[in-house]
Amino acid sequence: MIAGKRMILGITGGIAAYKGAALCSKLTQAGADVHVMMTASAAQFITPLTLQTLSRNPVLIDTFDERDPAVVTHIHQADHADLIVVAPATANSIAKLANGLADDMLSTTLLAATCPILIAPAMNVHMYEHPAVVSNIEKLAARGAMFVEPGTGQLACGYVAKGRLAEPEDIVRSIETWFAGSGRLRGKRVLVTAGGTMERLDPVRYLTNDSSGKMGFAIAEAAQRMGADVTLVAGRSTETPPAGVQVVRVASAADMLEAVVEAFPGTDVVIKAAAVADYRPAIVHKQKVKKSGEKLVLELERTTDILATLGERKEHQLLVGFAAETEQVAHYAMDKLKRKNCDLIVANDVSKEGVGFNGDTNAVDVYGPEGLEASFPLLSKREVASRLMALIADRLFQRGGDRS
Ligand code: CTP
């Protein structure tokens, strides 16, 4: 997948810059044409000569270091790259890109680039969690930048925490996944539901659940990256929708049902990652309910099962449901698959640490009619989403018999 691709490898000034050399070597060995751009700070940690030797191309640092009069280097580099990888990406380099600053060769090229950008951050855990850094990362993700999240381990500053640059092999795997998937779902319409629903009790109260929407939003982003036309029907979530995705905001399970049923006929794949309420208050009070007595009993009634409704109406669509369980995961997943007439069920054991609602990570098992199809270990939700979308695309084309 990587052979013959032209890539810019941006190395910025953190101690993990030395791992940039290993990454450069792996990409070059895989057949990529790697053009390294370093910041002046990165050159304090590792020499340009190392990168030049590994990439067999000149290393660029200064915007004004114009060597070929026939071209303007940063524009030429930006125009010809299939992908730009920034690894390690410091808090400063992320901030510059998020805010459009361009004061060296790498940042200037990044602004001029129209190709995809993959960023592998590396920094101290408190820096990584600083609201400014979080907001810059969110800003870039919303614009379509891809991220390989840092790992947890011993940091150079002495902390054992999140912030360590992802291993070069993992970055290479993400690059391979991206090249393998890009454009694969062009012309396909993917409908994703995400977040929790809100069931009103009165004008100031509602029933909801812990869903953050992170998994569904990551799936929408992955599908869009693969070239699909994506509609995201989003319930309660504070996540920023991925750029280029059509977003339909809904509140209740009934609103979600209406939006999904309307979009369903023209859709090729439906992924129901939303946590939909199974019950709603039987009476929605027009005025705020006043307290009275020691106890209050709420009467709830069942909502319509959206997934099962789609399962009944299904024609050509590939239908993917979710199952959050705390026990007998395989049994319940297979039961849901059959009962709701799904093609795949993505199941997770939410009793395990780091799995399920609200966090940034997930570990899932994917079941099809024959049983377990794939197991994804504890990974970032973005990585789970990429792998899941690759599997869904395989399934779609196995049935349709075209693109592979
Ligand atoms: N779902 C739906 N409409 C509902 C309820 C759930 O579409 N009214 C979908 C979810 O989006 C998810 C799957 O069904 O894809 C989850 O199945 P569900 O039976 O709701 O799971 P649980 O509520 O955990 O079910 P149970 O109580 O049977 O374990």
Side-chain angles (χ1 to χ4, degrees):
M1 297 297 168
I2 287 179
K5 300 289 188 226
R6 182 170 169 137
M7 283 176 224
I8 294 172
L9 173 59
I11 301 181
T12 68
I15 179 60
Y18 80 92
K19 284 194 188 170
L23 178 59
C24 178
S25 166
K26 284 184 191 304
L27 292 172
T28 310
Q29 280 175 36
D33 179 19
V34 182
H35 294 255
V36 177
M37 290 187 184
M38 298 173 76
T39 60
S41 319
Q44 302 272 345
F45 287 100
I46 182 167
T47 70
L49 180 62
T50 305
L51 279 310
Q52 176 180 303
T53 312
L54 291 170
S55 67
R56 292 175 222 124
N57 278 316
V59 172
L60 300 164
I61 298 177
D62 179 9
T63 329
F64 301 105
D65 182 15
E66 291 287 0
R67 300 176 196 188
D68 179 357
V71 297
V72 175
T73 306
H74 63 280
I75 303 296
H76 178 79
Q77 287 286 344
D79 284 351
H80 288 85
D82 294 306
L83 178 72
I84 302 183
V85 182
V86 187
T90 57
N92 184 51
S93 60
I94 289 170
K96 285 206 292 189
L97 182 56
N99 294 288
L101 300 184
D103 60 359
D104 59 11
M105 183 61 96
L106 177 61
S107 52
T108 311
T109 306
L110 280 165
L111 278 200
T114 52
C115 68
I117 296 170
L118 183 106
I119 299 168
M123 64 197 79
N124 165 272
V125 61
H126 297 315
M127 293 171 78
Y128 188 62
E129 289 171 354
H130 191 285
V133 176
V134 171
S135 142
N136 286 332
I137 288 178
E138 282 174 0
K139 211 187 257 185
L140 290 170
R143 277 191 221 140
M146 299 173 280
F147 284 84
V148 185
E149 285 180 32
T152 298
Q154 179 83 44
L155 304 180
C157 50
Y159 284 83
V160 176
K162 190 167 179 175
R164 200 166 72 163
L165 180 69
E167 291 307 322
E169 306 80 67
D170 293 331
I171 300 175
V172 172
R173 207 167 302 128
S174 294
I175 295 170
E176 279 169 344
T177 309
W178 184 79
F179 277 118
S182 85
R184 230 180 138 201
L185 289 179
R186 192 154 295 129
K188 299 289 176 195
R189 299 174 93 94
V190 175
L191 175 65
V192 183
T193 70
T197 55
M198 290 164 54
E199 306 302 330
R200 279 269 156 220
L201 174 63
D202 69 14
V204 296
R205 302 182 181 96
Y206 53 82
L207 300 179
T208 189
N209 56 59
D210 270 339
S211 172
S212 61
K214 285 181 182 169
M215 194 64 245
F217 277 57
I219 291 170
E221 182 185 296
Q224 203 256 347
R225 220 168 41 227
M226 291 170 82
D229 241 326
V230 183
T231 301
L232 175 63
V233 177
R236 203 179 58 88
S237 170
T238 53
E239 292 296 293
T240 310
V245 163
Q246 193 198 332
V247 183
V248 182
R249 294 278 179 188
V250 295
S252 67
D255 298 341
M256 187 172 279
L257 174 70
E258 197 184 318
V260 168
V261 163
E262 192 186 322
F264 191 56
T267 298
D268 298 295
V269 182
V270 181
I271 305 164
K272 286 237 63 241
V276 187
D278 292 323
Y279 295 91
R280 65 175 165 227
I283 299 167
V284 183
H285 296 268
K286 285 208 165 53
Q287 309 301 334
K288 185 183 161 201
V289 177
K290 304 298 282 180
K291 61 180 154 310
S292 62
E294 283 308 303
K295 284 186 180 172
L296 173 71
V297 178
L298 280 184
E299 195 189 344
L300 303 178
E301 62 184 19
R302 283 290 289 266
T303 57
T304 305
D305 191 315
I306 306 169
L307 190 56
T309 306
L310 301 184
E312 282 163 17
R313 298 180 181 196
K314 182 168 90 166
E315 293 167 346
H316 61 283
Q317 294 91 343
L318 190 92
L319 197 53
V320 184
F322 269 68
E325 307 292 350
T326 54
E327 54 168 355
Q328 299 183 60
V329 177
H331 169 74
Y332 287 129
M334 289 307 286
D335 174 60
K336 267 179 200 147
L337 183 110
K338 292 194 180 103
R339 236 178 341 107
K340 304 194 186 196
N341 195 23
C342 294
D343 298 286
L344 293 171
I345 284 279
V346 183
N348 51 11
D349 184 342
V350 288
S351 65
K352 289 190 181 150
E353 186 151 346
V355 176
F357 291 138
N358 247 323
D360 289 321
T361 54
N362 209 355
V364 305
D365 289 334
V366 186
Y367 293 86
E370 313 299 328
L372 186 66
E373 294 221 353
S375 254
F376 304 148
L378 194 65
L379 296 163
S380 72
K381 285 187 173 170
R382 277 213 176 92
E383 186 60 30
V384 171
S386 294
R387 295 192 189 189
L388 179 62
M389 281 315 302
L391 186 111
I392 288 171
D394 287 348
R395 265 317 202 84
L396 196 63
F397 296 123
Q398 270 162 17
R399 290 196 334 187
D402 47 3
R403 258 170 289 178
S404 59

